[in-house]
């Protein structure tokens, strides 16, 4: 499958083409002319938009440039730069930084320059739909619509079906030991038949690393922190996934029964010809993987011992990797919990019954390091002399508390949340007492009295501490135990990011409105015609990229007269054109107007239409802002 003869002129064209890649990959078709796909203007625009939406876009590589440096460029100039880079790709040195791990060690993080990140995002957009059609269904890490919740739910489901024996796997230095030539062979074997792209990926993998003043050549591994690294890691381990799956789940002689609540068989699904006698020796074995963290569940310790020996040989001889002797072990989860993704999962007797079920709890050893980070932030409030900065820090603290509790809310976590509150309360009380001495009691407030996080705090009378902002407005520290526990739900196999039906199913399940694409039918044609007439620093790449998202946000309606706009009369208005090049083309500063209303805002046309005068006057006032 190639892209020759196909045009991608809008976001919906891009989505439909990625859907087609997914469908053809399911059919076993190879993929070629991939660089042509990556060179399409709409694909480049979408890739930069994806990077811009990530917080890492403000982190510079060795060249000191962030995404804003590229957003300010002229559109044609930037497109030419990226296309030339795709033709003659030479990656720059990757900057290495170190982040703390929960075990006290440091994890290396690679930060490519921004132009290399754009190339990596383009590569990901091309490869992801192709490999989503080939990935194992119970691999959950760094894949669309999947997360740790689904992995945990899968483990609990298998424990409930009496799979109590677990092989807990740990791969030594996985990201640092991926073999480049082996990965390229895999890509070719799966059907990536564009030699230009394979050469590009190989150069990407071999980018030198700048570490503490020393440039180190990369002979193996893929840097953690690179956009493409998680996808390449999943590709590298996909053979391992199917090795385990072929023993039971996808074995041609395994028959799956689907029963109703009464236990009666209502459907039988065949993976191939079945012979019940030949089925007798098959051991039920299941893999759950999240990136390089994985668990294999089965029903007998004898099988687990033999299978672990086989896995060690497979990783060593097929993938060039080693399983850690200390961290890879066999666990009977009826007597000892499995540790996976920050949770402890154990098989225990269900209350008031004799049935053994899987239960997940937060792993306090993992939680306490995060709590300690929050405690330090609260402690540092006492050293912050500026009230506005303290309020900013309080909201940072709240974000961390909510993020931590949301992650663990899919487990039996109420007692953990209470413990978090207990540890944070005393340091909060101490910090406010240090700040306000005898007046600290005035800063003790009920959650329902706070003006921040109103939806979270409304109706609760728990006591916390808060800063007074103005006009009796109190900004306080939230409570962890307010987060509601909602147990993990399994992944729905009908969800797919690369089929229209799969996206519809996901949006319906999550009760999230579908994206609106009506404007994509015509916006890009008008966009191409206007570029020649609108020139100047303000009409840079960021303007042309964001204008289609502005029309989408405004549902193709003039925000003054509320009439629909069309290619012949649509204009994008800068609400505050003097606020600086870094802010002027943000979506929040752009507005969809029809041609006549836009002229009226700039004093070129006078109208007596009373419906639009108030809005237009407001827009005229905004034009005077000089900040």
């Amino acid at each position: 499958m190639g892209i020759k003869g196909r045009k991608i002129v809008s976001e919906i064209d891009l989505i439909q083409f990625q859907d087609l890649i997914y469908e053809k990959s399911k059919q076993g078709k190879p993929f070629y002319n991939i660089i042509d796909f990556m060179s399409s203007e709409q694909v480049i625009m979408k890739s930069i938009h994806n990077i811009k939406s990530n917080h890492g876009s403000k982190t510079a590589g060795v060249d000191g440039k962030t995404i804003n440096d590229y957003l300010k460029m002229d559109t044609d100039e930037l497109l030419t730069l990226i296309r030339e880079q795709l033709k003659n790709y030479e990656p720059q040195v990757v900057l290495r930084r170190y982040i703390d791990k929960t075990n006290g060690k440091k994890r290396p993080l690679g930060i490519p320059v921004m132009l290399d990140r754009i190339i990596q995002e383009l590569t990901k957009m091309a490869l992801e739909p192709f490999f989503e059609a080939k990935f194992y269904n119970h691999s959950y890490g760094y894949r669309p619509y999947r997360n740790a919740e689904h992995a945990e739910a899968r483990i609990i489901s298998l424990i409930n079906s009496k799979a109590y024996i677990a092989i807990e796997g740990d791969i030594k230095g996985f990201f640092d030991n991926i073999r480049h030539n082996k990965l390229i062979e895999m890509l070719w074997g799966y059907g990536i038949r564009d030699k230009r792209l394979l050469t590009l990926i190989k150069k990407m993998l071999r980018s030198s690393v700048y570490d503490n003043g020393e440039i180190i050549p990369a002979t193996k591994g893929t840097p953690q922190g690179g956009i493409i690294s998680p996808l390449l890691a999943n590709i590298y381990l996909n053979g391992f996934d199917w090795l385990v799956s072929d023993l039971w789940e996808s074995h041609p002689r395994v028959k799956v029964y689907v029963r109703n609540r009464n236990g009666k068989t209502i459907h039988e699904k065949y993976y191939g010809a079945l012979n019940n006698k030949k089925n007798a020796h098959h051991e039920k074995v299941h893999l759950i993987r999240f990136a390089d963290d994985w668990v294999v569940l089965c029903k007998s310790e004898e099988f687990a011992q033999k299978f672990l020996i086989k896995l060690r040989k497979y990783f060593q001889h097929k993938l060039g990797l080693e399983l850690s002797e200390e961290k890879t072990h066999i666990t009977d989860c009826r007597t000892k919990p499995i540790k996976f993704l920050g949770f402890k999962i154990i098989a225990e007797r269900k209350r008031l019954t004799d049935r053994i079920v899987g239960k997940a709890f937060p792993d306090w050893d993992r939680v306490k390091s995060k709590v300690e980070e929050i405690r330090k932030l609260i402690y540092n409030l006492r050293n912050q002399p500026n009230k506005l900065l303290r309020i900013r820090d309080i909201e940072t603290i709240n974000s961390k508390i909510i993020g931590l509790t949301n992650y663990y809310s899919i487990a039996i976590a109420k007692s953990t949340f209470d413990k978090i509150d207990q540890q944070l309360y005393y340091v909060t009380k101490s910090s406010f007492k240090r700040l306000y001495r005898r007046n600290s009691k005035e800063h003790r407030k009920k959650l329902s009295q706070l003006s921040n996080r109103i939806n979270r705090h409304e109706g609760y009378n728990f006591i916390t501490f808060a800063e007074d902002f103005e006009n009796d407005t109190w900004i306080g520290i939230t409570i962890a135990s307010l987060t509601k526990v909602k147990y993990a739900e399994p992944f729905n196999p009908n969800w797919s990011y690369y089929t229209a039906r799969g996206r519809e199913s996901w949006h319906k399940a999550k009760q999230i409105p579908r994206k609106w694409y009506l404007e994509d039918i015509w916006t890009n044609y008008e966009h191409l015609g206007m570029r020649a007439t609108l020139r100047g620093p303000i009409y840079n790449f960021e303007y042309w990229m964001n204008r289609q998202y502005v029309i989408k946000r405004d549902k193709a309606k003039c925000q003054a007269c509320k009439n629909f706009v069309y290619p012949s009369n649509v204009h994008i208005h800068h609400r505050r054109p003097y606020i600086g090049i870094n802010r002027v083309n943000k979506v929040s500063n752009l507005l969809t107007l029809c041609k006549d209303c836009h002229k009226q805002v700039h004093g070129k046309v006078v109208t007596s239409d009373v419906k639009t005068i108030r809005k237009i006057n407001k827009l005229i006032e905004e034009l005077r802002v000089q900040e």
Side-chain angles (χ1 to χ4, degrees):
M1 177 194 170
I3 193 175
K4 283 188 176 179
R6 305 176 189 275
K7 290 186 178 180
I8 300 175
V9 296
S10 69
E11 188 177 2
I12 198 166
D13 286 342
L14 170 58
I15 290 168
Q16 289 174 347
F17 188 73
Q18 286 182 313
D19 289 354
L20 184 61
I21 294 172
Y22 178 85
E23 180 186 342
K24 295 296 184 182
S25 179
K26 279 277 188 186
Q27 298 170 7
K29 305 289 185 182
F31 190 17
Y32 45 90
N33 294 330
I34 304 172
I35 296 292
D36 295 340
F37 167 81
M38 294 161 62
S39 300
S40 299
E41 178 177 333
Q42 184 62 39
V43 181
I44 293 172
M45 280 200 168
K46 182 65 175 177
S47 70
I48 295 176
H49 183 269
N50 292 344
I51 293 172
K52 183 177 74 75
S53 304
N54 192 304
H55 292 299
S57 64
K58 297 177 182 177
T59 304
V62 292
D63 62 353
K65 291 184 178 180
T66 68
I67 194 64
N68 284 333
D69 293 293
Y70 292 94
L71 295 176
K72 294 175 193 174
M73 290 179 65
D74 175 74
T75 302
D76 292 332
E77 182 184 346
L78 180 56
L79 292 174
T80 300
L81 173 65
I82 293 171
R83 286 166 178 161
E84 286 299 319
Q85 187 76 348
L86 287 171
K87 288 180 183 177
N88 305 289
Y89 183 61
E90 291 298 334
Q92 295 191 46
V93 175
V94 175
L95 178 64
R96 177 170 286 173
R97 289 283 182 262
Y98 292 90
I99 58 174
D100 294 329
K101 295 175 67 175
T102 54
N103 59 7
K105 295 181 180 180
K106 299 282 187 179
R107 171 178 289 147
L109 191 69
I111 306 173
V113 299
M114 193 55 62
L115 188 57
D116 286 342
R117 275 182 256 182
I118 293 171
I119 301 299
Q120 288 190 23
E121 180 64 27
L122 288 169
T123 307
K124 178 176 177 284
M125 290 174 65
L127 293 183
E128 188 174 76
F130 184 85
F131 280 99
E132 274 297 308
K134 298 187 182 298
F135 282 154
Y136 174 60
N137 200 40
H138 298 297
S139 151
Y140 296 102
Y142 307 108
R143 294 180 60 189
Y145 293 162
R146 298 167 189 257
N147 54 43
E149 174 187 5
H150 303 129
E152 185 202 327
R154 174 68 175 166
I155 292 176
I156 290 174
S157 172
L158 291 169
I159 291 174
N160 292 344
S161 66
K162 301 181 180 180
Y164 302 132
I165 308 301
I167 304 173
E168 298 179 69
D170 182 86
I171 305 170
K172 278 186 181 178
F174 169 63
F175 285 95
D176 296 330
N177 289 293
I178 290 176
R179 291 185 176 180
H180 297 168
N181 290 339
K182 182 67 178 178
L183 178 58
I184 299 301
E185 286 176 17
M186 289 178 177
L187 291 168
W188 181 268
Y190 283 124
I192 301 299
R193 299 300 166 82
D194 189 328
K195 292 183 179 180
R196 294 177 300 167
L197 178 68
L198 295 177
T199 301
L200 184 148
I201 292 173
K202 199 164 188 177
K203 288 182 178 180
M204 197 182 290
L205 292 168
R206 291 184 174 176
S207 300
S208 297
V209 176
Y210 182 78
D211 187 358
N212 293 323
E214 183 182 359
I215 296 179
I216 304 169
T219 57
K220 60 181 179 178
T222 175
Q224 296 183 61
I227 291 173
I228 195 68
S229 295
L231 176 60
L232 296 180
N234 278 331
I235 294 170
Y236 202 77
L237 291 177
N238 194 44
F240 161 60
D241 297 343
W242 288 106
L243 170 74
V244 181
S245 177
D246 287 346
L247 291 175
W248 179 259
E249 292 179 17
S250 54
H251 194 283
R253 293 190 177 276
V254 169
K255 184 178 183 181
V256 177
Y257 298 92
V258 179
R259 294 182 171 88
N260 63 14
R261 291 183 180 179
N262 297 322
K264 184 179 178 181
T265 301
I266 56 175
H267 175 68
E268 296 178 352
K269 177 182 177 182
Y270 289 85
Y271 286 106
L274 176 72
N275 183 315
N276 286 329
K277 291 182 180 178
K278 291 183 180 180
N279 263 349
H281 70 274
H282 290 301
E283 179 83 20
K284 288 186 178 181
V285 55
H286 305 274
L287 170 69
I288 305 92
R289 184 173 66 81
F290 192 99
D292 59 331
D293 292 320
W294 54 270
V295 171
V296 171
L297 283 169
C298 56
K299 293 191 174 184
S300 77
E301 189 166 346
E302 181 185 1
F303 173 83
Q305 295 284 2
K306 293 177 181 178
F307 191 50
L308 179 55
I309 294 171
K310 181 177 180 179
L311 289 180
R312 288 190 187 279
K313 291 179 179 179
Y314 175 84
F315 275 99
Q316 183 178 0
H317 299 298
K318 292 290 186 181
L319 301 180
L321 301 169
E322 284 187 58
L323 296 181
S324 168
E325 292 287 346
E326 301 80 20
K327 297 180 181 179
T328 301
H329 44 77
I330 296 168
T331 304
D332 185 337
C333 62
R334 290 169 295 188
T335 58
K336 185 180 178 182
I338 303 167
K339 292 186 178 183
F340 190 64
L341 302 179
F343 296 92
K344 286 184 175 180
I345 306 171
I346 193 166
E348 290 184 338
R349 201 172 299 280
K350 189 176 181 181
R351 196 171 58 151
L352 303 178
T353 70
D354 292 331
R355 185 183 169 201
I356 301 293
V357 296
K359 296 179 181 179
F361 301 87
D363 184 351
W364 181 252
D365 290 338
R366 296 282 294 272
V367 176
K368 68 181 180 183
S369 62
K370 301 294 182 183
V371 175
E372 185 58 32
E373 289 178 17
I374 299 171
R375 287 184 78 256
K376 287 179 181 178
L377 290 173
I378 296 174
Y379 183 89
N380 289 334
L381 288 175
R382 66 184 71 187
N383 302 321
Q384 182 58 269
N386 187 301
K387 181 189 291 187
L388 291 178
L389 292 179
R390 284 200 298 272
I391 289 171
R392 180 205 64 184
D393 292 346
I394 285 172
E395 276 306 296
T396 300
I397 291 163
N398 287 339
S399 297
K400 288 185 175 292
I401 291 172
I402 294 171
L404 178 64
T405 54
N406 280 345
Y407 181 79
Y408 286 105
S409 65
I410 57 176
I412 301 171
K414 269 302 177 187
S415 60
T416 301
F417 294 169
D418 290 338
K419 190 173 181 179
I420 292 171
D421 286 334
Q422 184 182 13
Q423 295 205 1
L424 297 184
Y425 176 80
Y426 290 108
V427 70
T428 305
K429 181 180 178 180
S430 173
S431 291
F432 273 83
K433 193 171 182 179
R434 183 71 173 267
L435 281 166
Y436 292 103
R437 305 291 178 180
R438 294 179 181 177
N439 297 326
S440 63
K441 289 184 179 180
E442 296 178 6
H443 292 263
R444 282 169 54 93
K445 295 293 176 182
K446 294 178 180 178
L447 291 175
S448 56
Q449 294 176 307
L450 301 181
S451 299
N452 61 322
R453 313 272 176 173
I454 294 173
N455 291 337
R456 180 178 174 86
H457 297 150
E458 190 174 11
Y460 288 97
N461 292 324
F462 298 127
I463 298 297
T464 187
F465 288 84
E467 279 284 0
D468 58 322
F469 181 45
E470 57 184 22
N471 300 325
D472 202 32
T473 299
W474 292 90
I475 309 298
I477 295 177
T478 193
I479 302 294
S481 55
L482 296 186
T483 301
K484 291 180 171 55
V485 170
K486 185 181 179 184
Y487 297 140
E489 295 183 356
F491 179 79
N492 185 338
N494 292 325
W495 298 342
S496 172
Y497 192 75
Y498 293 108
T499 67
R501 183 176 292 180
R503 291 189 294 271
E504 181 73 34
S505 177
W506 184 84
H507 283 285
K508 187 176 180 180
K510 300 298 180 182
Q511 298 182 338
I512 298 174
R514 286 195 308 120
K515 287 185 177 180
W516 193 72
Y517 292 114
L518 179 61
E519 88 293 347
D520 282 326
I521 297 171
W522 54 265
T523 301
N524 292 275
Y525 297 107
E526 185 269 341
H527 151 86
L528 292 171
M530 290 285 284
R531 193 187 296 167
T533 58
L534 294 177
R535 291 289 182 180
I538 197 171
Y539 298 111
N540 55 26
F541 179 85
E542 185 175 21
Y543 171 80
W544 294 110
M545 178 182 68
N546 281 342
R547 68 190 308 278
Q548 59 183 305
Y549 295 102
V550 172
I551 298 172
K552 180 186 296 186
R553 180 200 65 196
D554 296 337
K555 298 187 177 178
K557 283 186 178 181
C558 172
Q559 296 304 290
C561 65
K562 298 300 179 183
N563 291 325
F564 278 105
V565 291
Y566 300 96
S568 58
N569 75 337
V570 63
H571 280 211
I572 300 300
H573 168 67
H574 290 88
R575 301 174 69 163
R576 298 178 180 183
Y578 308 110
I579 59 175
I581 196 66
N582 288 334
R583 298 165 57 197
V584 70
N585 286 318
K586 302 303 180 190
V587 172
S588 58
N589 193 50
L590 300 176
L591 203 67
T592 305
L593 294 176
C594 67
K595 184 177 181 181
D596 290 339
C597 287
H598 198 206
K599 285 183 177 180
Q600 188 173 342
V601 169
H602 290 282
K604 297 179 181 179
V605 176
V606 178
T607 179
S608 58
D609 184 0
V610 294
K611 293 182 178 179
T612 60
I613 286 175
R614 183 178 298 176
K615 182 66 177 177
I616 286 173
N617 285 339
K618 185 177 179 181
L619 293 174
I620 292 172
E621 289 177 11
E622 287 181 337
L623 285 173
R624 299 170 185 162
V625 176
Q626 298 289 327
E627 62 181 26

